[in-house]
Amino acid sequence: MLSANLPPPELVDIQAWVLESVCAPPQADRTFVSDWVTSSKSQSAEERIAVYVDDYWSRLQGSMTEDFPKTASLMGDAFADHVISYIDAHPPTSISLSMLGAHFPQYLSAHYKDKNRDQVIDAAALEWAQNQAWITPNQRPFDPALLSAEQQEGLAQLRWTLQPSLTLLSKPACLVVFQQNLLPETQEVEPAFFVVLSALKAGASLSEALDALLLAYPDTDAGQLSAVIQDGFAFCVRNGLLVHPI
């Protein structure tokens, strides 16, 4: 909270106050800044601080709009207000703004109540997943030809790691968001294979992931599930979604 106390003589305390003043939400009370900042010939104390406040918040709001363009379009004027509240609750912690929106989908889930709430939350989750697919480097993709004899024998017990750029979204469909040729790609997969991918992402072995599939689809024909698994893993290998085991 901004303080109206006169500035202490220590420079570090004055610098901390300026930082707090700039980072406080735009609507925060700054009427007392003349106690801390002198006026110039052309600007009042409030106007001098406002230069930095406007630059700081416009840059952060612009970054959020770049990362969540569809969400912003769906929310209309409400987007700017929610972004301010979100950043006030989750201020940037890095010199890079690439992670600024990391908690925005969860924030909207808790705070956005308009009639298009579900559409907005789904759009934000998808856009953040696409953002992460774009900026997150992948690891060496799985290559069956490079498996050792020991790995081939214990294939079912291997713990497969999905690429760091990959995100699984269960709404509005079973979606896999990943990096392809340094760009984000989004593909819908069969719900049954989505169960397998979710288990692998949680750290299950291949055998455990298949057990989770059978538990989720106990009445489905085994041949049908086998076809889904084969097609799903072919999709993963084709797109480099699995990290090669060490």
Side-chain angles (χ1 to χ4, degrees):
M1 180 180 295
L2 298 180
S3 172
N5 295 329
L6 291 176
E10 294 295 329
L11 177 60
V12 65
D13 293 324
I14 299 175
Q15 291 173 327
W17 177 87
V18 171
L19 178 63
E20 183 182 1
S21 299
V22 170
C23 295
Q27 69 273 18
D29 180 18
R30 295 182 177 83
T31 57
F32 54 83
V33 296
S34 58
D35 292 338
W36 296 73
V37 179
T38 60
S39 301
S40 68
K41 291 182 179 180
S42 59
Q43 291 180 309
S44 67
E46 291 81 1
E47 289 171 335
R48 295 184 71 186
I49 283 290
V51 170
Y52 300 98
V53 173
D54 293 344
D55 283 351
Y56 174 78
W57 283 97
S58 64
R59 179 68 187 94
L60 296 187
Q61 288 179 303
S63 177
M64 290 290 287
T65 303
E66 290 174 5
D67 286 345
F68 299 95
K70 183 176 180 180
T71 306
S73 176
L74 290 170
M75 294 177 68
D77 294 339
F79 181 77
D81 292 337
H82 277 283
V83 164
I84 290 173
S85 297
Y86 166 74
I87 295 175
D88 189 38
H90 300 278
T93 57
S94 168
I95 59 173
S96 170
L97 295 181
S98 62
M99 296 302 294
L100 179 61
H103 305 288
F104 195 51
Q106 293 86 348
Y107 167 87
L108 291 175
S109 181
H111 297 282
Y112 187 71
K113 306 299 181 182
D114 284 10
K115 60 183 180 180
N116 63 342
R117 162 187 166 83
D118 289 345
Q119 187 180 9
V120 164
I121 293 171
D122 290 347
L126 177 57
E127 288 184 311
W128 183 249
Q130 291 171 334
N131 174 280
Q132 291 305 287
W134 182 55
I135 67 173
T136 305
N138 278 337
Q139 298 179 22
R140 181 185 180 186
F142 168 63
D143 185 347
L146 298 180
L147 286 175
S148 66
E150 182 180 357
Q151 288 174 328
Q152 292 180 31
E153 291 178 4
L155 195 62
Q157 302 307 318
L158 284 178
R159 294 192 180 274
W160 298 93
T161 302
L162 302 181
Q163 290 290 359
S165 70
L166 184 147
T167 301
L168 300 174
L169 299 174
S170 59
K171 294 173 56 183
C174 294
L175 301 178
V176 180
V177 185
F178 56 97
Q179 185 187 104
Q180 184 75 288
N181 298 322
L182 302 180
L183 293 174
E185 182 79 20
T186 303
Q187 294 283 342
E188 184 175 351
V189 298
E190 290 285 345
F193 192 66
F194 190 86
V195 172
V196 175
L197 289 177
S198 298
L200 293 177
K201 190 170 181 64
S205 66
L206 178 57
S207 177
E208 292 166 342
L210 296 179
D211 286 342
L213 173 63
L214 294 175
L215 186 63
Y217 291 87
D219 300 323
T220 304
D221 178 72
Q224 183 180 348
L225 288 181
S226 178
V228 168
I229 294 168
Q230 290 180 26
D231 290 344
F233 275 104
F235 162 77
C236 288
V237 173
R238 186 168 61 250
N239 290 284
L241 305 188
L242 300 172
V243 176
H244 196 84
I246 299 175

mmCIF file of all heavy atoms in Angstrom, residues 163-213:
data_model
loop_
_atom_site.group_PDB
_atom_site.id
_atom_site.type_symbol
_atom_site.label_atom_id
_atom_site.label_comp_id
_atom_site.label_asym_id
_atom_site.label_seq_id
_atom_site.Cartn_x
_atom_site.Cartn_y
_atom_site.Cartn_z
ATOM 1 N N GLN A 163 7.214 -34.003 -24.268
ATOM 2 C CA GLN A 163 8.028 -32.819 -24.522
ATOM 3 C C GLN A 163 7.610 -31.658 -23.602
ATOM 4 O O GLN A 163 6.429 -31.475 -23.306
ATOM 5 C CB GLN A 163 7.900 -32.379 -25.972
ATOM 6 C CG GLN A 163 8.556 -33.299 -26.978
ATOM 7 C CD GLN A 163 10.081 -33.266 -26.915
ATOM 8 O OE1 GLN A 163 10.680 -32.536 -26.128
ATOM 9 N NE2 GLN A 163 10.715 -34.061 -27.767
ATOM 10 N N PRO A 164 8.582 -30.875 -23.127
ATOM 11 C CA PRO A 164 8.262 -29.757 -22.225
ATOM 12 C C PRO A 164 7.295 -28.742 -22.831
ATOM 13 O O PRO A 164 6.580 -28.058 -22.097
ATOM 14 C CB PRO A 164 9.635 -29.114 -21.965
ATOM 15 C CG PRO A 164 10.624 -30.182 -22.250
ATOM 16 C CD PRO A 164 10.032 -31.013 -23.348
ATOM 17 N N SER A 165 7.276 -28.637 -24.157
ATOM 18 C CA SER A 165 6.404 -27.665 -24.811
ATOM 19 C C SER A 165 4.961 -28.122 -24.887
ATOM 20 O O SER A 165 4.082 -27.352 -25.277
ATOM 21 C CB SER A 165 6.910 -27.373 -26.236
ATOM 22 O OG SER A 165 6.711 -28.504 -27.073
ATOM 23 N N LEU A 166 4.702 -29.379 -24.518
ATOM 24 C CA LEU A 166 3.380 -29.975 -24.726
ATOM 25 C C LEU A 166 2.448 -29.687 -23.555
ATOM 26 O O LEU A 166 2.819 -29.816 -22.391
ATOM 27 C CB LEU A 166 3.523 -31.481 -24.939
ATOM 28 C CG LEU A 166 2.265 -32.278 -25.275
ATOM 29 C CD1 LEU A 166 2.616 -33.437 -26.192
ATOM 30 C CD2 LEU A 166 1.578 -32.807 -24.018
ATOM 31 N N THR A 167 1.226 -29.316 -23.885
ATOM 32 C CA THR A 167 0.159 -29.128 -22.888
ATOM 33 C C THR A 167 -1.060 -29.928 -23.319
ATOM 34 O O THR A 167 -1.397 -29.973 -24.506
ATOM 35 C CB THR A 167 -0.226 -27.640 -22.763
ATOM 36 O OG1 THR A 167 0.923 -26.875 -22.375
ATOM 37 C CG2 THR A 167 -1.324 -27.446 -21.725
ATOM 38 N N LEU A 168 -1.714 -30.550 -22.358
ATOM 39 C CA LEU A 168 -2.956 -31.281 -22.601
ATOM 40 C C LEU A 168 -4.130 -30.462 -22.082
ATOM 41 O O LEU A 168 -4.120 -30.001 -20.937
ATOM 42 C CB LEU A 168 -2.928 -32.636 -21.897
ATOM 43 C CG LEU A 168 -1.804 -33.596 -22.308
ATOM 44 C CD1 LEU A 168 -1.823 -34.833 -21.417
ATOM 45 C CD2 LEU A 168 -1.939 -33.988 -23.772
ATOM 46 N N LEU A 169 -5.139 -30.287 -22.924
ATOM 47 C CA LEU A 169 -6.345 -29.553 -22.544
ATOM 48 C C LEU A 169 -7.565 -30.431 -22.787
ATOM 49 O O LEU A 169 -7.732 -30.971 -23.882
ATOM 50 C CB LEU A 169 -6.466 -28.257 -23.347
ATOM 51 C CG LEU A 169 -5.347 -27.223 -23.184
ATOM 52 C CD1 LEU A 169 -5.545 -26.070 -24.157
ATOM 53 C CD2 LEU A 169 -5.307 -26.699 -21.745
ATOM 54 N N SER A 170 -8.408 -30.551 -21.785
ATOM 55 C CA SER A 170 -9.585 -31.414 -21.909
ATOM 56 C C SER A 170 -10.822 -30.662 -22.384
ATOM 57 O O SER A 170 -11.860 -31.282 -22.635
ATOM 58 C CB SER A 170 -9.892 -32.076 -20.563
ATOM 59 O OG SER A 170 -10.129 -31.102 -19.560
ATOM 60 N N LYS A 171 -10.732 -29.343 -22.504
ATOM 61 C CA LYS A 171 -11.857 -28.525 -22.970
ATOM 62 C C LYS A 171 -11.360 -27.547 -24.023
ATOM 63 O O LYS A 171 -10.236 -27.051 -23.907
ATOM 64 C CB LYS A 171 -12.468 -27.752 -21.806
ATOM 65 C CG LYS A 171 -13.129 -28.604 -20.740
ATOM 66 C CD LYS A 171 -13.544 -27.770 -19.546
ATOM 67 C CE LYS A 171 -14.441 -26.620 -19.911
ATOM 68 N NZ LYS A 171 -14.781 -25.769 -18.763
ATOM 69 N N PRO A 172 -12.192 -27.257 -25.033
ATOM 70 C CA PRO A 172 -13.529 -27.761 -25.328
ATOM 71 C C PRO A 172 -13.538 -29.164 -25.943
ATOM 72 O O PRO A 172 -14.578 -29.735 -26.188
ATOM 73 C CB PRO A 172 -14.065 -26.746 -26.324
ATOM 74 C CG PRO A 172 -12.848 -26.265 -27.041
ATOM 75 C CD PRO A 172 -11.755 -26.241 -26.005
ATOM 76 N N ALA A 173 -12.339 -29.714 -26.218
ATOM 77 C CA ALA A 173 -12.187 -31.083 -26.719
ATOM 78 C C ALA A 173 -10.878 -31.609 -26.150
ATOM 79 O O ALA A 173 -10.189 -30.916 -25.389
ATOM 80 C CB ALA A 173 -12.187 -31.105 -28.244
ATOM 81 N N CYS A 174 -10.528 -32.854 -26.472
ATOM 82 C CA CYS A 174 -9.251 -33.414 -26.020
ATOM 83 C C CYS A 174 -8.154 -32.900 -26.946
ATOM 84 O O CYS A 174 -7.974 -33.411 -28.061
ATOM 85 C CB CYS A 174 -9.310 -34.940 -26.030
ATOM 86 S SG CYS A 174 -10.480 -35.614 -24.822
ATOM 87 N N LEU A 175 -7.438 -31.895 -26.483
ATOM 88 C CA LEU A 175 -6.469 -31.200 -27.328
ATOM 89 C C LEU A 175 -5.051 -31.430 -26.838
ATOM 90 O O LEU A 175 -4.786 -31.488 -25.629
ATOM 91 C CB LEU A 175 -6.758 -29.697 -27.346
ATOM 92 C CG LEU A 175 -8.133 -29.253 -27.839
ATOM 93 C CD1 LEU A 175 -8.267 -27.729 -27.748
ATOM 94 C CD2 LEU A 175 -8.362 -29.716 -29.274
ATOM 95 N N VAL A 176 -4.138 -31.541 -27.797
ATOM 96 C CA VAL A 176 -2.709 -31.586 -27.524
ATOM 97 C C VAL A 176 -2.092 -30.357 -28.188
ATOM 98 O O VAL A 176 -2.215 -30.164 -29.400
ATOM 99 C CB VAL A 176 -2.056 -32.870 -28.085
ATOM 100 C CG1 VAL A 176 -0.560 -32.885 -27.775
ATOM 101 C CG2 VAL A 176 -2.736 -34.101 -27.517
ATOM 102 N N VAL A 177 -1.452 -29.530 -27.384
ATOM 103 C CA VAL A 177 -0.803 -28.319 -27.890
ATOM 104 C C VAL A 177 0.700 -28.537 -27.767
ATOM 105 O O VAL A 177 1.204 -28.843 -26.688
ATOM 106 C CB VAL A 177 -1.228 -27.071 -27.098
ATOM 107 C CG1 VAL A 177 -0.630 -25.809 -27.720
ATOM 108 C CG2 VAL A 177 -2.758 -26.962 -27.037
ATOM 109 N N PHE A 178 1.423 -28.393 -28.872
ATOM 110 C CA PHE A 178 2.841 -28.715 -28.872
ATOM 111 C C PHE A 178 3.579 -27.839 -29.880
ATOM 112 O O PHE A 178 2.975 -27.091 -30.644
ATOM 113 C CB PHE A 178 3.058 -30.195 -29.201
ATOM 114 C CG PHE A 178 2.451 -30.634 -30.512
ATOM 115 C CD1 PHE A 178 3.215 -30.698 -31.669
ATOM 116 C CD2 PHE A 178 1.105 -30.985 -30.594
ATOM 117 C CE1 PHE A 178 2.661 -31.108 -32.878
ATOM 118 C CE2 PHE A 178 0.541 -31.398 -31.790
ATOM 119 C CZ PHE A 178 1.317 -31.452 -32.937
ATOM 120 N N GLN A 179 4.891 -27.963 -29.847
ATOM 121 C CA GLN A 179 5.739 -27.189 -30.766
ATOM 122 C C GLN A 179 6.083 -28.026 -31.992
ATOM 123 O O GLN A 179 6.517 -29.162 -31.872
ATOM 124 C CB GLN A 179 7.024 -26.763 -30.052
ATOM 125 C CG GLN A 179 7.913 -25.854 -30.873
ATOM 126 C CD GLN A 179 9.250 -25.613 -30.183
ATOM 127 O OE1 GLN A 179 10.269 -26.180 -30.574
ATOM 128 N NE2 GLN A 179 9.248 -24.803 -29.129
ATOM 129 N N GLN A 180 5.869 -27.435 -33.152
ATOM 130 C CA GLN A 180 6.181 -28.101 -34.410
ATOM 131 C C GLN A 180 6.869 -27.104 -35.317
ATOM 132 O O GLN A 180 6.297 -26.067 -35.658
ATOM 133 C CB GLN A 180 4.906 -28.638 -35.066
ATOM 134 C CG GLN A 180 5.128 -29.439 -36.329
ATOM 135 C CD GLN A 180 5.676 -30.822 -36.033
ATOM 136 O OE1 GLN A 180 6.829 -30.971 -35.646
ATOM 137 N NE2 GLN A 180 4.870 -31.847 -36.223
ATOM 138 N N ASN A 181 8.122 -27.388 -35.678
ATOM 139 C CA ASN A 181 8.901 -26.466 -36.516
ATOM 140 C C ASN A 181 8.953 -25.074 -35.899
ATOM 141 O O ASN A 181 8.778 -24.056 -36.578
ATOM 142 C CB ASN A 181 8.311 -26.403 -37.922
ATOM 143 C CG ASN A 181 8.353 -27.733 -38.637
ATOM 144 O OD1 ASN A 181 9.316 -28.487 -38.511
ATOM 145 N ND2 ASN A 181 7.297 -28.058 -39.377
ATOM 146 N N LEU A 182 9.159 -25.059 -34.555
ATOM 147 C CA LEU A 182 9.321 -23.830 -33.770
ATOM 148 C C LEU A 182 8.045 -22.988 -33.690
ATOM 149 O O LEU A 182 8.095 -21.832 -33.287
ATOM 150 C CB LEU A 182 10.471 -22.973 -34.321
ATOM 151 C CG LEU A 182 11.843 -23.647 -34.379
ATOM 152 C CD1 LEU A 182 12.883 -22.698 -34.951
ATOM 153 C CD2 LEU A 182 12.263 -24.127 -32.984
ATOM 154 N N LEU A 183 6.915 -23.577 -34.058
ATOM 155 C CA LEU A 183 5.632 -22.878 -33.981
ATOM 156 C C LEU A 183 4.640 -23.728 -33.190
ATOM 157 O O LEU A 183 4.731 -24.955 -33.185
ATOM 158 C CB LEU A 183 5.080 -22.610 -35.384
ATOM 159 C CG LEU A 183 5.864 -21.627 -36.252
ATOM 160 C CD1 LEU A 183 5.287 -21.587 -37.659
ATOM 161 C CD2 LEU A 183 5.873 -20.226 -35.640
ATOM 162 N N PRO A 184 3.668 -23.076 -32.528
ATOM 163 C CA PRO A 184 2.668 -23.855 -31.795
ATOM 164 C C PRO A 184 1.709 -24.572 -32.723
ATOM 165 O O PRO A 184 1.288 -24.030 -33.746
ATOM 166 C CB PRO A 184 1.939 -22.791 -30.960
ATOM 167 C CG PRO A 184 2.151 -21.505 -31.684
ATOM 168 C CD PRO A 184 3.493 -21.622 -32.337
ATOM 169 N N GLU A 185 1.384 -25.792 -32.363
ATOM 170 C CA GLU A 185 0.449 -26.614 -33.126
ATOM 171 C C GLU A 185 -0.597 -27.178 -32.163
ATOM 172 O O GLU A 185 -0.273 -27.544 -31.031
ATOM 173 C CB GLU A 185 1.196 -27.762 -33.807
ATOM 174 C CG GLU A 185 0.354 -28.662 -34.668
ATOM 175 C CD GLU A 185 0.057 -28.065 -36.037
ATOM 176 O OE1 GLU A 185 0.793 -27.151 -36.454
ATOM 177 O OE2 GLU A 185 -0.901 -28.522 -36.679
ATOM 178 N N THR A 186 -1.837 -27.249 -32.612
ATOM 179 C CA THR A 186 -2.917 -27.788 -31.783
ATOM 180 C C THR A 186 -3.620 -28.901 -32.544
ATOM 181 O O THR A 186 -4.046 -28.691 -33.686
ATOM 182 C CB THR A 186 -3.934 -26.696 -31.409
ATOM 183 O OG1 THR A 186 -3.264 -25.625 -30.741
ATOM 184 C CG2 THR A 186 -5.012 -27.256 -30.491
ATOM 185 N N GLN A 187 -3.716 -30.075 -31.917
ATOM 186 C CA GLN A 187 -4.363 -31.219 -32.554
ATOM 187 C C GLN A 187 -5.342 -31.860 -31.571
ATOM 188 O O GLN A 187 -5.053 -31.987 -30.378
ATOM 189 C CB GLN A 187 -3.334 -32.271 -32.972
ATOM 190 C CG GLN A 187 -2.386 -31.821 -34.067
ATOM 191 C CD GLN A 187 -3.039 -31.835 -35.446
ATOM 192 O OE1 GLN A 187 -4.067 -32.475 -35.640
ATOM 193 N NE2 GLN A 187 -2.456 -31.137 -36.395
ATOM 194 N N GLU A 188 -6.486 -32.274 -32.097
ATOM 195 C CA GLU A 188 -7.445 -33.018 -31.288
ATOM 196 C C GLU A 188 -7.109 -34.502 -31.360
ATOM 197 O O GLU A 188 -6.758 -35.013 -32.424
ATOM 198 C CB GLU A 188 -8.865 -32.774 -31.786
ATOM 199 C CG GLU A 188 -9.942 -33.434 -30.939
ATOM 200 C CD GLU A 188 -11.352 -33.076 -31.372
ATOM 201 O OE1 GLU A 188 -11.501 -32.170 -32.224
ATOM 202 O OE2 GLU A 188 -12.303 -33.707 -30.857
ATOM 203 N N VAL A 189 -7.179 -35.181 -30.221
ATOM 204 C CA VAL A 189 -6.903 -36.619 -30.172
ATOM 205 C C VAL A 189 -8.117 -37.348 -29.610
ATOM 206 O O VAL A 189 -9.005 -36.748 -29.003
ATOM 207 C CB VAL A 189 -5.657 -36.932 -29.313
ATOM 208 C CG1 VAL A 189 -4.420 -36.298 -29.911
ATOM 209 C CG2 VAL A 189 -5.857 -36.486 -27.872
ATOM 210 N N GLU A 190 -8.133 -38.670 -29.814
ATOM 211 C CA GLU A 190 -9.207 -39.496 -29.284
ATOM 212 C C GLU A 190 -9.230 -39.403 -27.751
ATOM 213 O O GLU A 190 -8.172 -39.428 -27.105
ATOM 214 C CB GLU A 190 -9.004 -40.951 -29.693
ATOM 215 C CG GLU A 190 -9.216 -41.227 -31.169
ATOM 216 C CD GLU A 190 -10.699 -41.235 -31.533
ATOM 217 O OE1 GLU A 190 -11.541 -41.304 -30.609
ATOM 218 O OE2 GLU A 190 -10.991 -41.174 -32.739
ATOM 219 N N PRO A 191 -10.417 -39.291 -27.157
ATOM 220 C CA PRO A 191 -10.495 -39.229 -25.692
ATOM 221 C C PRO A 191 -9.772 -40.396 -25.003
ATOM 222 O O PRO A 191 -9.161 -40.208 -23.942
ATOM 223 C CB PRO A 191 -12.003 -39.266 -25.419
ATOM 224 C CG PRO A 191 -12.615 -38.667 -26.648
ATOM 225 C CD PRO A 191 -11.748 -39.129 -27.788
ATOM 226 N N ALA A 192 -9.839 -41.576 -25.608
ATOM 227 C CA ALA A 192 -9.177 -42.739 -25.002
ATOM 228 C C ALA A 192 -7.664 -42.542 -24.965
ATOM 229 O O ALA A 192 -7.011 -42.845 -23.950
ATOM 230 C CB ALA A 192 -9.528 -44.012 -25.773
ATOM 231 N N PHE A 193 -7.091 -42.029 -26.040
ATOM 232 C CA PHE A 193 -5.638 -41.814 -26.034
ATOM 233 C C PHE A 193 -5.265 -40.628 -25.161
ATOM 234 O O PHE A 193 -4.152 -40.569 -24.631
ATOM 235 C CB PHE A 193 -5.120 -41.611 -27.453
ATOM 236 C CG PHE A 193 -3.617 -41.666 -27.534
ATOM 237 C CD1 PHE A 193 -2.947 -42.844 -27.269
ATOM 238 C CD2 PHE A 193 -2.880 -40.538 -27.845
ATOM 239 C CE1 PHE A 193 -1.558 -42.902 -27.312
ATOM 240 C CE2 PHE A 193 -1.501 -40.582 -27.895
ATOM 241 C CZ PHE A 193 -0.828 -41.770 -27.626
ATOM 242 N N PHE A 194 -6.182 -39.680 -25.003
ATOM 243 C CA PHE A 194 -5.951 -38.557 -24.098
ATOM 244 C C PHE A 194 -5.723 -39.068 -22.674
ATOM 245 O O PHE A 194 -4.910 -38.518 -21.923
ATOM 246 C CB PHE A 194 -7.140 -37.601 -24.136
ATOM 247 C CG PHE A 194 -6.918 -36.303 -23.429
ATOM 248 C CD1 PHE A 194 -6.317 -35.230 -24.087
ATOM 249 C CD2 PHE A 194 -7.325 -36.126 -22.112
ATOM 250 C CE1 PHE A 194 -6.115 -34.022 -23.434
ATOM 251 C CE2 PHE A 194 -7.124 -34.919 -21.460
ATOM 252 C CZ PHE A 194 -6.522 -33.861 -22.120
ATOM 253 N N VAL A 195 -6.441 -40.132 -22.300
ATOM 254 C CA VAL A 195 -6.241 -40.756 -20.990
ATOM 255 C C VAL A 195 -4.806 -41.262 -20.864
ATOM 256 O O VAL A 195 -4.150 -41.089 -19.830
ATOM 257 C CB VAL A 195 -7.248 -41.903 -20.778
ATOM 258 C CG1 VAL A 195 -6.914 -42.691 -19.509
ATOM 259 C CG2 VAL A 195 -8.667 -41.364 -20.702
ATOM 260 N N VAL A 196 -4.306 -41.903 -21.911
ATOM 261 C CA VAL A 196 -2.941 -42.431 -21.904
ATOM 262 C C VAL A 196 -1.926 -41.297 -21.775
ATOM 263 O O VAL A 196 -1.002 -41.354 -20.950
ATOM 264 C CB VAL A 196 -2.668 -43.252 -23.181
ATOM 265 C CG1 VAL A 196 -1.203 -43.697 -23.239
ATOM 266 C CG2 VAL A 196 -3.595 -44.457 -23.254
ATOM 267 N N LEU A 197 -2.101 -40.256 -22.563
ATOM 268 C CA LEU A 197 -1.177 -39.117 -22.512
ATOM 269 C C LEU A 197 -1.200 -38.438 -21.142
ATOM 270 O O LEU A 197 -0.153 -38.045 -20.618
ATOM 271 C CB LEU A 197 -1.529 -38.106 -23.602
ATOM 272 C CG LEU A 197 -1.237 -38.516 -25.045
ATOM 273 C CD1 LEU A 197 -1.719 -37.432 -26.004
ATOM 274 C CD2 LEU A 197 0.252 -38.775 -25.249
ATOM 275 N N SER A 198 -2.383 -38.321 -20.573
ATOM 276 C CA SER A 198 -2.502 -37.688 -19.255
ATOM 277 C C SER A 198 -1.754 -38.499 -18.199
ATOM 278 O O SER A 198 -1.091 -37.933 -17.323
ATOM 279 C CB SER A 198 -3.978 -37.537 -18.864
ATOM 280 O OG SER A 198 -4.660 -36.696 -19.773
ATOM 281 N N ALA A 199 -1.862 -39.824 -18.286
ATOM 282 C CA ALA A 199 -1.158 -40.677 -17.338
ATOM 283 C C ALA A 199 0.357 -40.564 -17.519
ATOM 284 O O ALA A 199 1.111 -40.480 -16.546
ATOM 285 C CB ALA A 199 -1.605 -42.126 -17.505
ATOM 286 N N LEU A 200 0.809 -40.546 -18.774
ATOM 287 C CA LEU A 200 2.250 -40.400 -19.037
ATOM 288 C C LEU A 200 2.760 -39.059 -18.532
ATOM 289 O O LEU A 200 3.850 -38.975 -17.949
ATOM 290 C CB LEU A 200 2.528 -40.537 -20.533
ATOM 291 C CG LEU A 200 2.286 -41.914 -21.164
ATOM 292 C CD1 LEU A 200 2.533 -41.854 -22.669
ATOM 293 C CD2 LEU A 200 3.175 -42.978 -20.514
ATOM 294 N N LYS A 201 1.988 -38.022 -18.733
ATOM 295 C CA LYS A 201 2.406 -36.685 -18.287
ATOM 296 C C LYS A 201 2.503 -36.625 -16.761
ATOM 297 O O LYS A 201 3.315 -35.891 -16.206
ATOM 298 C CB LYS A 201 1.438 -35.623 -18.799
ATOM 299 C CG LYS A 201 1.934 -34.190 -18.585
ATOM 300 C CD LYS A 201 1.071 -33.187 -19.306
ATOM 301 C CE LYS A 201 1.580 -31.763 -19.109
ATOM 302 N NZ LYS A 201 2.930 -31.574 -19.700
ATOM 303 N N ALA A 202 1.663 -37.434 -16.098
ATOM 304 C CA ALA A 202 1.686 -37.483 -14.634
ATOM 305 C C ALA A 202 2.814 -38.351 -14.097
ATOM 306 O O ALA A 202 2.983 -38.463 -12.873
ATOM 307 C CB ALA A 202 0.345 -37.992 -14.115
ATOM 308 N N GLY A 203 3.588 -38.984 -14.992
ATOM 309 C CA GLY A 203 4.730 -39.774 -14.564
ATOM 310 C C GLY A 203 4.540 -41.276 -14.582
ATOM 311 O O GLY A 203 5.404 -42.016 -14.110
ATOM 312 N N ALA A 204 3.426 -41.740 -15.127
ATOM 313 C CA ALA A 204 3.172 -43.186 -15.181
ATOM 314 C C ALA A 204 4.065 -43.855 -16.216
ATOM 315 O O ALA A 204 4.498 -43.232 -17.195
ATOM 316 C CB ALA A 204 1.698 -43.445 -15.518
ATOM 317 N N SER A 205 4.314 -45.140 -16.006
ATOM 318 C CA SER A 205 4.994 -45.930 -17.026
ATOM 319 C C SER A 205 3.986 -46.250 -18.115
ATOM 320 O O SER A 205 2.778 -46.026 -17.964
ATOM 321 C CB SER A 205 5.532 -47.230 -16.418
ATOM 322 O OG SER A 205 4.456 -48.066 -16.016
ATOM 323 N N LEU A 206 4.471 -46.793 -19.234
ATOM 324 C CA LEU A 206 3.557 -47.164 -20.315
ATOM 325 C C LEU A 206 2.547 -48.196 -19.822
ATOM 326 O O LEU A 206 1.342 -48.109 -20.133
ATOM 327 C CB LEU A 206 4.349 -47.715 -21.498
ATOM 328 C CG LEU A 206 3.522 -48.203 -22.694
ATOM 329 C CD1 LEU A 206 2.629 -47.089 -23.229
ATOM 330 C CD2 LEU A 206 4.445 -48.740 -23.784
ATOM 331 N N SER A 207 3.012 -49.166 -19.046
ATOM 332 C CA SER A 207 2.116 -50.194 -18.520
ATOM 333 C C SER A 207 1.040 -49.576 -17.635
ATOM 334 O O SER A 207 -0.143 -49.925 -17.721
ATOM 335 C CB SER A 207 2.928 -51.224 -17.721
ATOM 336 O OG SER A 207 2.077 -52.189 -17.147
ATOM 337 N N GLU A 208 1.431 -48.639 -16.782
ATOM 338 C CA GLU A 208 0.476 -47.984 -15.886
ATOM 339 C C GLU A 208 -0.507 -47.114 -16.670
ATOM 340 O O GLU A 208 -1.690 -47.022 -16.326
ATOM 341 C CB GLU A 208 1.225 -47.144 -14.853
ATOM 342 C CG GLU A 208 2.029 -47.975 -13.849
ATOM 343 C CD GLU A 208 3.020 -47.149 -13.057
ATOM 344 O OE1 GLU A 208 3.356 -46.018 -13.489
ATOM 345 O OE2 GLU A 208 3.471 -47.628 -11.992
ATOM 346 N N ALA A 209 -0.022 -46.483 -17.727
ATOM 347 C CA ALA A 209 -0.897 -45.655 -18.562
ATOM 348 C C ALA A 209 -1.948 -46.505 -19.259
ATOM 349 O O ALA A 209 -3.115 -46.113 -19.379
ATOM 350 C CB ALA A 209 -0.072 -44.884 -19.589
ATOM 351 N N LEU A 210 -1.539 -47.692 -19.709
ATOM 352 C CA LEU A 210 -2.498 -48.603 -20.358
ATOM 353 C C LEU A 210 -3.509 -49.145 -19.343
ATOM 354 O O LEU A 210 -4.685 -49.351 -19.671
ATOM 355 C CB LEU A 210 -1.754 -49.736 -21.041
ATOM 356 C CG LEU A 210 -0.843 -49.308 -22.210
ATOM 357 C CD1 LEU A 210 -0.134 -50.522 -22.799
ATOM 358 C CD2 LEU A 210 -1.625 -48.561 -23.275
ATOM 359 N N ASP A 211 -3.066 -49.350 -18.110
ATOM 360 C CA ASP A 211 -3.990 -49.772 -17.054
ATOM 361 C C ASP A 211 -5.037 -48.681 -16.807
ATOM 362 O O ASP A 211 -6.224 -48.972 -16.601
ATOM 363 C CB ASP A 211 -3.234 -50.067 -15.758
ATOM 364 C CG ASP A 211 -2.451 -51.365 -15.814
ATOM 365 O OD1 ASP A 211 -2.749 -52.203 -16.696
ATOM 366 O OD2 ASP A 211 -1.533 -51.535 -14.986
ATOM 367 N N ALA A 212 -4.596 -47.420 -16.828
ATOM 368 C CA ALA A 212 -5.520 -46.301 -16.639
ATOM 369 C C ALA A 212 -6.542 -46.251 -17.772
ATOM 370 O O ALA A 212 -7.722 -45.948 -17.551
ATOM 371 C CB ALA A 212 -4.737 -44.984 -16.566
ATOM 372 N N LEU A 213 -6.091 -46.580 -18.978
ATOM 373 C CA LEU A 213 -6.998 -46.615 -20.131
ATOM 374 C C LEU A 213 -8.066 -47.700 -19.949
ATOM 375 O O LEU A 213 -9.259 -47.446 -20.171
ATOM 376 C CB LEU A 213 -6.198 -46.863 -21.404
ATOM 377 C CG LEU A 213 -7.012 -47.093 -22.680
ATOM 378 C CD1 LEU A 213 -7.824 -45.851 -23.032
ATOM 379 C CD2 LEU A 213 -6.095 -47.481 -23.835
#
